Amino acid sequence: MSKAVFEAIDICKSFDERKILKDVTFSLHKSEIMAIVGKSGCGKTTLLRILANLELPDSGELLFDGQPQKNPTPNIIFIQQDYNQLLPWKSVINNVAYPAIATKKYSKEDAFRRAKELLEKMDLAEFVDYYPRELSGGMKQRVAIARALIMEPKILLLDEPFGAVDRESREKVYGIIKKLCNEYGTAVLLVTHNLQEAKNVAKKIIYFEANTVKIITSAEFNKIIGV
Amino acid sequence: MFEQPLKETNKFKVFAMALLGLAIIAVGAFLCINKPRDKRKITAIYEYSQACSVITLVKENQLLEKYLPDDVEIEWVMMDSGSDRRDAIATDRAQIGVVENLKVITSLENDYPLRILANGPASYRGIYTADDNINSAADLADKKIAYQGTGAGLTLKKDLAENYQINLTDDQLLSLNEQQLIDLIAQDQVDAAVMTRVMASKAMQVRPDLRMVHSLTEETARIGATYWLIGSVSYFDQNPDLLEPVMKAYTEAIETINKDPKAVAEQLSPLFEIDAEIIEQEFLDFAPIVEIYGYDEIAEMLYENGELDEAPKKFAEIPYYESTPKKAE
Amino acid sequence: MKARQRKQNKNKLVTFLKRLAPFLVIIALWECASRLGWVPKFILPSLSTITGTLFRELFTGTLFFNLIRSLLILIAGLAIDLVVSLIIILACIKFQSFKYFYKTVATMMNSIPSMALLPLIIMWFGIGDSAIIALVTHSVVWTFTIYILDGINSLPKIYQEFADNINLDLKSRIKDIYIPALLPNITAGLKVVWGRAWRSLIGAEVAFGAIGAAGGLGYYININRYNGDMAKVFSGIIIIAAVGLIVDLAVFSNIEKKMKKWGTLHE
């Protein structure tokens, strides 16, 4: 097994004395797609926010490439659940190209070229000049994913990204994400309450229970989903 | 209350009826407030200043009460703005008052319904300063000078241009009311100010180091500092019998001043909060008279200075010229 | 097709005429009231007289220069005020205790009309452009800063988290995230304060009487009221109103159109 690119060690978090996360420990490897499943409100989003360094844990450690990670970084891109995470004043293509241009990852021309390619893959080629306000929830999520992918992150954190996306588009996006993993070695951590989706996309499934996580086998997973 | 729900009724009719009801109430209220009185009423405007010294004396000596018929109720109203006085008389909210002559002429040119009743007091004016670098009019070339009233401004410009070849620009001139002018000269926010003796004595209470560096000539001071008694056209058209009593009251006030200026000065001094000697000196320098003079000369000056867009009417062409007391020219 | 086009054009014309009708009625009533003597001419000059005076004064008189003077002072005042506002906002962002203090003071100061401060302003600044700018500042800064601070408080956290996630530098955050996100608040604030500033400026000019060289529009109105020329007074008032309308149409409408397109317009 290759060395873990991302490790969470004994992460704990409480809100108002209510324990949300207790000693959460797991690791992510290069090109690995992992799903976190669990009931609504069990702390999955909180865990992702901590992994993205948007919130601090009460205790525990995060390691990225073996080094402590304490601040947000473009190497770990977080796509939130909120459909309105796009910048409303930028068109679709500008939204996607923006992070690459602003962080000087690509030149303007290259950024727009790559943005166009990603949007074509997302079936959004006709909508490049539209504004987020003019898109459906599912389309906005696909744009958000394209915006994340242009950064070619080492870790991609997805918080229930496919809620409003139709099945056909979802399949396409899965395909793109899998390709990204293979091409760039991106590791993906996908939070979902949709068990079938977890099974379709991820190789490993982390089951969220009693404020902590455990990696479960297929048999256990099938038992859970009632197969 | 309604037999049918309101939405089935013609909303427009309801709205129109509501408006009509409001209008009736408003008209009724207006009529109640303005119902014709049994007694006639005259409102006279005064101010505790040298410009209004004659009319103030009319008030203090109750001369209107002496000469007007018993059926006339007399009301005295204080207004310190000449424009406000002019507007009140033009709209018949007041019937007599004193307004600066230049303002009267420009208003008549703009068809304000005013009639000139009599002449008013004039004031001796000088240029005052607390600036050590200013010792005569010749030092005023690049200075900021405040003045009160268009007349003071015009005579200042005329006097300095003719006698000192100093052409003051609009940038250098500040037109203010009396209190603003006194405040600014006291705070050194202007270099000099054109002031009457009265204004100067008030200003010296806060700036004892004020001194006069130039006196405007008698001729120009005469033109630029005269006030006229004006009356409401509609009121005296409707009450022509009241014109003579008003003129008698005013004339008697003028005669009282000229007969014993010292006594009148002492009478007015506590009201004006000015030394009696200064008020007396003003009366001695420019004894008030009833007759109007200099109309055409002043009107021409206004026209030349751009205060009037078109050539002004002659004195003989103004409304009520025949009945206006005038000096033989 | 042509018949339908003709019908549509006819409907548009009818709608336009219906909207124009009240204005035409007012114009007709006004003209009759003055010309037929229902209202004395010196109180209400006819619209035709006012219109003639307005154009004459604009092209051959001083009205244009009075207008420019007022506008220049307004622009200078607004420019200073925006800088002052920016400094205050940055201080509020940096120091929470200052923010609480400032918001309390701003709320109190906001309720004081400019004219009530006039005696103090005259005492401290005299009578002149600096006094007018001080009054404009009072009209602008308290309100504008509160609009922006409230906007900052309600900035969607998700935009800031996006900026954090990609380690966006401060300059890019301000230029690409904060300013566009705050644009509704900036626009709403500017719309309110520019009107207040304009009214305070004109009011101060009228109160002061005459200021320096060709005074502004307030001076123009005052001096013509002094001379009893109501047609010129009305001309000045019309120009004041026209400036308000033009600024709204030329500036704010365009920004609001953009924000409507983005879906961020506060309505």
Side-chain angles (χ1 to χ4, degrees):
Chain A
M1 186 65 148
S2 60
K3 201 175 93 180
V5 71
F6 192 66
E7 285 179 80
I9 303 168
D10 294 332
I11 300 293
C12 295
K13 182 75 178 178
S14 301
F15 285 121
D16 299 328
E17 294 177 18
R18 189 167 67 93
K19 211 149 193 113
I20 306 293
L21 301 171
K22 193 173 109 181
D23 299 325
V24 173
T25 301
F26 67 92
S27 55
L28 258 181
H29 296 85
K30 208 169 155 186
S31 302
E32 191 172 33
I33 301 180
M34 201 182 274
I36 299 183
V37 301
K39 293 189 185 127
S40 293
C42 63
K44 305 188 294 294
T45 299
T46 307
L47 176 61
L48 276 195
R49 290 179 61 80
I50 290 171
L51 299 180
N53 285 282
L54 296 176
E55 271 185 52
L56 288 172
D58 295 336
S59 62
E61 203 180 11
L62 294 172
L63 296 176
F64 177 68
D65 272 345
Q67 301 298 319
Q69 184 66 39
K70 289 185 178 152
N71 294 308
T73 166
N75 288 318
I76 306 173
I77 294 286
F78 177 31
I79 300 178
Q80 301 201 36
Q81 202 175 13
D82 190 342
Y83 295 152
N84 294 312
Q85 59 190 297
L86 298 176
L87 302 176
W89 46 88
K90 288 190 183 293
S91 63
V92 162
I93 193 158
N94 277 304
N95 257 289
V96 174
Y98 176 70
I101 298 169
T103 57
K104 297 185 172 49
K105 188 173 175 65
Y106 289 116
S107 68
K108 242 185 183 165
E109 294 79 20
D110 284 341
F112 277 106
R113 185 180 47 77
R114 286 205 48 83
K116 211 169 167 196
E117 282 167 11
L118 283 164
L119 288 167
E120 276 166 11
K121 286 177 183 165
M122 296 285 179
D123 272 344
L124 292 170
E126 311 159 29
F127 299 94
V128 292
D129 292 325
Y130 278 51
Y131 282 86
R133 173 182 158 259
E134 298 165 302
L135 306 178
S136 68
M139 291 161 89
K140 285 181 200 172
Q141 283 301 76
R142 281 186 275 155
V143 175
I145 292 167
R147 184 174 75 170
L149 296 181
I150 202 172
M151 295 298 285
E152 291 155 17
K154 294 227 169 97
I155 311 285
L156 190 58
L157 306 172
L158 299 161
D159 189 357
E160 307 211 34
F162 303 123
V165 181
D166 61 275
R167 191 183 163 158
E168 196 185 322
S169 303
R170 228 183 289 166
E171 299 290 336
K172 265 208 176 116
V173 176
Y174 296 153
I176 294 167
I177 291 175
K178 279 178 185 165
K179 205 176 167 193
L180 185 83
C181 292
N182 294 332
E183 201 174 323
Y184 296 107
T186 303
V188 176
L189 188 56
L190 161 71
V191 161
T192 181
H193 65 269
N194 186 328
L195 304 176
Q196 197 60 44
E197 180 179 89
K199 192 182 165 217
N200 290 344
V201 177
K203 285 207 176 103
K204 233 188 258 178
I205 295 167
I206 301 177
Y207 188 63
F208 217 96
E209 190 185 54
N211 306 327
T212 190
V213 299
K214 56 180 182 180
I215 298 175
I216 55 176
T217 63
S218 301
E220 282 172 332
F221 184 67
N222 288 338
K223 198 174 168 189
I224 287 163
I225 63 171
V227 172
Chain B
M1 187 179 168
F2 293 102
E3 286 179 4
Q4 293 173 318
L6 193 58
K7 61 182 175 184
E8 293 178 19
T9 313
N10 189 328
K11 281 185 190 169
F12 178 76
K13 278 188 190 161
V14 172
F15 180 65
M17 279 174 61
L19 264 184
L20 187 62
L22 273 171
I24 290 170
I25 292 168
V27 168
F30 179 76
L31 286 174
C32 284
I33 292 164
N34 292 288
K35 66 178 180 189
R37 299 162 195 270
D38 295 331
K39 270 186 128 177
R40 291 186 288 179
K41 184 178 169 189
I42 190 167
T43 302
I45 310 174
Y46 72 101
E47 187 204 359
Y48 286 149
S49 69
Q50 185 66 22
C52 294
S53 52
V54 177
I55 195 129
T56 302
L57 193 65
V58 169
K59 172 180 178 283
E60 294 303 310
N61 291 358
Q62 297 186 315
L63 296 175
L64 282 182
E65 286 81 346
K66 180 176 172 182
Y67 288 104
L68 284 171
D70 293 334
D71 72 319
V72 179
E73 184 189 328
I74 299 161
E75 182 189 28
W76 285 97
V77 168
M78 187 190 269
M79 265 186 216
D80 59 8
S81 158
S83 298
D84 291 346
R85 294 198 287 265
R86 185 254 341 257
D87 290 346
I89 293 166
T91 53
D92 201 31
R93 292 195 312 274
Q95 283 71 54
I96 55 172
V98 163
V99 175
E100 193 188 8
N101 57 358
L102 288 94
K103 197 176 293 184
V104 174
I105 294 172
T106 54
S107 303
L108 286 173
E109 288 299 311
N110 285 303
D111 299 323
Y112 270 60
L114 304 171
R115 63 187 288 176
I116 303 172
L117 299 179
N119 207 338
S123 282
Y124 180 89
R125 279 197 162 89
I127 301 175
Y128 289 77
T129 183
D131 187 339
D132 292 335
N133 296 319
I134 301 172
N135 295 298
S136 76
D139 299 328
L140 293 170
D142 57 346
K143 302 296 181 201
K144 208 159 190 170
I145 309 168
Y147 64 91
Q148 184 208 5
T150 307
L154 286 178
T155 53
L156 169 71
K157 278 165 80 172
K158 192 177 175 194
D159 191 67
L160 290 185
E162 281 178 5
N163 298 313
Y164 293 90
Q165 289 72 52
I166 294 172
N167 291 310
L168 296 172
T169 62
D170 287 339
D171 251 338
Q172 293 174 264
L173 297 169
L174 250 70
S175 169
L176 305 164
N177 67 33
E178 183 177 300
Q179 194 54 54
Q180 286 169 341
L181 190 149
I182 291 171
D183 287 342
L184 260 65
I185 190 77
Q187 291 160 21
D188 286 330
Q189 292 191 25
V190 288
D191 300 307
V194 176
M195 292 196 276
T196 62
R197 270 205 202 85
V198 169
M199 286 162 71
S201 77
K202 283 185 187 172
M204 281 176 187
Q205 287 168 19
V206 283
R207 278 304 288 264
D209 55 339
L210 269 177
R211 57 202 159 75
M212 191 173 72
V213 294
H214 178 69
S215 80
L216 296 170
T217 64
E218 189 178 303
E219 182 69 20
T220 53
R222 180 182 65 80
I223 288 172
T226 306
Y227 294 79
W228 291 343
L229 179 73
I230 57 170
S232 159
V233 162
S234 59
Y235 185 82
F236 287 108
D237 280 352
Q238 287 162 22
N239 301 279
D241 60 309
L242 299 185
L243 188 58
E244 196 185 326
V246 165
M247 291 309 297
K248 277 185 176 165
Y250 196 78
T251 306
E252 184 175 317
I254 286 177
E255 286 166 356
T256 306
I257 291 170
N258 291 331
K259 195 169 154 190
D260 194 348
K262 187 178 169 128
V264 173
E266 280 166 4
Q267 181 187 359
L268 296 178
S269 170
L271 297 171
F272 293 5
E273 293 177 359
I274 297 292
D275 285 343
E277 282 153 16
I278 294 172
I279 300 173
E280 185 191 352
Q281 193 58 48
E282 295 280 279
F283 289 146
L284 291 171
D285 284 339
F286 295 106
I289 59 172
V290 176
E291 295 81 10
I292 301 292
Y293 59 89
Y295 185 106
D296 289 329
E297 194 180 349
I298 300 161
E300 200 52 41
M301 192 170 71
L302 286 169
Y303 179 55
E304 281 168 11
N305 209 61
E307 302 287 335
L308 293 172
D309 293 333
E310 292 169 1
K313 291 190 272 291
K314 295 286 177 202
F315 187 29
E317 293 166 344
I318 67 165
Y320 306 97
Y321 167 75
E322 296 303 331
S323 57
T324 305
K326 37 200 168 288
K327 208 176 179 182
E329 308 245 21
Chain C
M1 186 73 169
K2 268 189 181 171
R4 198 163 77 167
Q5 188 66 37
R6 268 203 298 273
K7 194 178 178 190
Q8 273 179 350
N9 288 341
K10 190 182 167 194
N11 286 341
K12 275 187 191 166
L13 181 64
V14 168
T15 307
F16 173 71
L17 287 173
K18 273 187 186 167
R19 286 181 183 171
L20 192 60
F23 291 102
L24 292 176
V25 167
I26 289 171
I27 288 169
L29 277 174
W30 185 322
E31 196 69 9
C32 289
S34 182
R35 291 214 176 265
L36 298 177
W38 300 344
V39 181
K41 275 191 195 139
F42 77 95
I43 292 175
L44 190 72
S46 66
L47 266 181
S48 49
T49 304
I50 293 169
T51 310
T53 304
L54 174 65
F55 281 103
R56 193 180 67 235
E57 285 291 294
L58 266 178
F59 295 113
T60 63
T62 64
L63 185 53
F64 179 73
F65 299 104
N66 297 117
L67 167 64
I68 295 300
R69 182 166 170 82
S70 289
L71 285 176
L72 284 175
I73 297 177
L74 179 72
I75 291 167
L78 284 175
I80 293 169
D81 296 342
L82 289 177
V83 170
V84 168
S85 299
L86 185 64
I87 294 169
I88 291 171
I89 288 163
L90 289 172
C92 287
I93 292 170
K94 187 94 176 145
F95 305 107
Q96 279 300 307
S97 51
F98 175 74
K99 182 178 164 186
Y100 175 74
F101 163 75
Y102 175 74
K103 275 194 125 178
T104 310
V105 167
T107 306
M108 281 164 30
M109 293 304 292
N110 226 4
S111 50
I112 303 174
S114 300
M115 289 299 123
L117 286 180
L118 199 57
L120 285 177
I121 298 282
I122 292 174
M123 193 78 78
W124 294 338
F125 297 94
I127 290 182
D129 294 350
S130 42
I132 294 181
I133 289 175
L135 278 173
V136 166
T137 301
H138 169 73
S139 304
V140 169
V141 169
W142 314 116
T143 304
F144 188 66
T145 47
I146 288 176
Y147 263 90
I148 302 307
L149 288 170
D150 286 346
I152 290 172
N153 272 348
S154 52
L155 260 181
K157 210 171 150 194
I158 203 165
Y159 301 153
Q160 297 185 76
E161 287 177 348
F162 163 70
D164 290 341
N165 197 179
I166 61 171
N167 281 357
L168 205 57
D169 61 79
L170 183 63
K171 188 176 149 200
S172 297
R173 274 182 204 244
I174 291 172
K175 183 170 75 75
D176 299 322
I177 310 270
Y178 295 154
I179 289 178
L182 287 171
L183 200 57
N185 297 80
I186 293 171
T187 309
L190 276 177
K191 220 172 166 178
V192 166
V193 302
W194 109 262
R196 292 178 68 178
W198 186 231
R199 287 192 295 276
S200 293
L201 183 149
I202 301 295
E205 287 179 348
V206 172
F208 289 169
I211 295 160
L217 285 171
Y219 162 75
Y220 179 85
I221 287 171
N222 197 50
I223 199 71
N224 284 300
R225 187 240 169 172
Y226 181 97
N227 289 335
D229 196 332
M230 278 297 132
K232 288 184 183 173
V233 169
F234 270 101
S235 300
I237 292 170
I238 288 170
I239 292 294
I240 291 169
V243 167
L245 190 64
I246 289 167
V247 167
D248 194 72
L249 288 174
V251 176
F252 295 115
S253 291
N254 280 328
I255 299 174
E256 283 172 351
K257 255 188 220 158
K258 260 213 166 81
M259 291 196 295
K260 232 179 188 166
K261 203 173 162 191
W262 300 341
T264 58
L265 179 65
H266 291 166
E267 287 184 298

